[in-house]
Amino acid sequence: MSSNFSSNSSTSNGSHRSWAEQTKDRYRHPYDIGPSVFEVPKRLSDTKPDAYAPRKVGLGPYHHLRPDLQLMTNKKRDTVKDLLKIEDIEEFIRIVENCPISFEAKIRSCYSRSIDLDRESLAWIVIIDAIFLLHLVQAYSEKRSDHCSSSTSSSDESFLGDIVMLENQIPTLLMEEIPKVLQYKYPVPQGKDIGEALCRLCYDIAPIEIE
């Protein structure tokens, strides 16, 4: 099962303009970081798609828009609204719509594939998915530290295998940016040790033993 979201070059004028704008933004907002989320070579993903493609939840621009994963979209949106205690929806929308151009440039720097999405769409995808992922990591960490706790529901736990998929990633670099992008107006569930918590979760649920 390959992603239904394609980022291949288009011959449309809109796509060419988008590419040109992306190029100019990369010059205007350079980052000394290379990509950390890579696309699985097609010869591998075609051979064993279940090993590389998420089955329940898409995280990040490579898989978020896949039609077969859209049942999770409403759950992610509702989770974000509840976690951030959003009361003024229009203000939240305005903040995301006006996210810094530098945030878009940083997102594109983290992914090896060229992403044919405008700045606002890319911001929505990363912000919603990052906060949802932070929720899962935080809940898992709480449950791990207290075996009697039921911080994660069985439905949440069923998503955990998807977040270790190679292409299905939100880099910690971007997750750390979310509070700033949202102008520090919302209680983003992010601890100072989020990177360590993510590594611990991946270590626990990895299908192979990690030494």
Side-chain angles (χ1 to χ4, degrees), residues 1-8 39-40 42 45-46 49 52-54 60-69 113 167-168:
M1 174 173 55
S2 62
S3 170
N4 289 308
F5 167 59
S6 174
S7 60
N8 294 334
E39 184 177 12
V40 176
K42 195 172 187 300
S45 60
D46 285 349
Y52 302 104
Y62 288 173
H63 292 284
H64 182 102
L65 298 178
R66 272 177 41 193
D68 58 314
L69 299 179
R113 182 199 294 176
E167 297 180 344
N168 205 42

Side-chain angles (χ1 to χ4, degrees), residues 23-75:
T23 300
K24 288 185 285 187
D25 288 343
R26 285 295 294 270
Y27 278 118
R28 291 169 178 154
H29 306 279
Y31 289 99
D32 295 327
I33 56 174
S36 57
V37 182
F38 297 89
E39 184 177 12
V40 176
K42 195 172 187 300
R43 65 180 182 276
L44 291 179
S45 60
D46 285 349
T47 302
K48 195 173 182 181
D50 286 348
Y52 302 104
R55 287 168 284 184
K56 293 187 177 181
V57 58
L59 298 170
Y62 288 173
H63 292 284
H64 182 102
L65 298 178
R66 272 177 41 193
D68 58 314
L69 299 179
Q70 288 308 294
L71 286 177
M72 275 301 303
T73 300
N74 287 338
K75 178 178 175 63

Side-chain angles (χ1 to χ4, degrees), residues 74-171:
N74 287 338
K75 178 178 175 63
K76 288 191 289 187
R77 289 172 180 162
D78 291 343
T79 298
V80 169
K81 181 180 178 181
D82 292 342
L83 285 174
L84 301 188
K85 300 177 173 60
I86 298 173
E87 296 180 357
D88 188 339
I89 294 297
E90 291 304 317
E91 181 184 29
F92 179 67
I93 291 173
R94 178 186 58 77
I95 290 174
V96 176
E97 285 177 339
N98 293 287
C99 77
I101 294 177
S102 59
F103 184 56
E104 177 194 8
K106 187 169 289 189
I107 293 172
R108 296 188 189 279
S109 297
C110 288
Y111 293 87
S112 65
R113 182 199 294 176
S114 177
I115 303 169
D116 191 16
L117 289 170
D118 59 76
R119 175 160 54 104
E120 183 183 343
S121 297
L122 198 56
W124 276 114
I125 287 173
V126 170
I127 289 171
I128 289 175
D129 288 354
I131 294 173
F132 182 75
L133 177 58
L134 287 165
H135 157 68
L136 291 181
V137 172
Q138 183 183 57
Y140 180 83
S141 296
E142 290 173 357
K143 184 173 183 179
R144 192 178 189 274
S145 63
D146 182 2
H147 295 296
C148 296
S149 170
S150 57
S151 299
T152 50
S153 67
S154 58
S155 60
D156 282 347
E157 290 178 338
S158 70
F159 305 144
L160 296 180
D162 281 349
I163 73 173
V164 297
M165 295 290 182
L166 183 63
E167 297 180 344
N168 205 42
Q169 302 290 324
I170 302 289

Side-chain angles (χ1 to χ4, degrees), residues 4-20:
N4 289 308
F5 167 59
S6 174
S7 60
N8 294 334
S9 296
S10 170
T11 57
S12 69
N13 290 334
S15 291
H16 284 308
R17 282 198 298 270
S18 175
W19 181 87

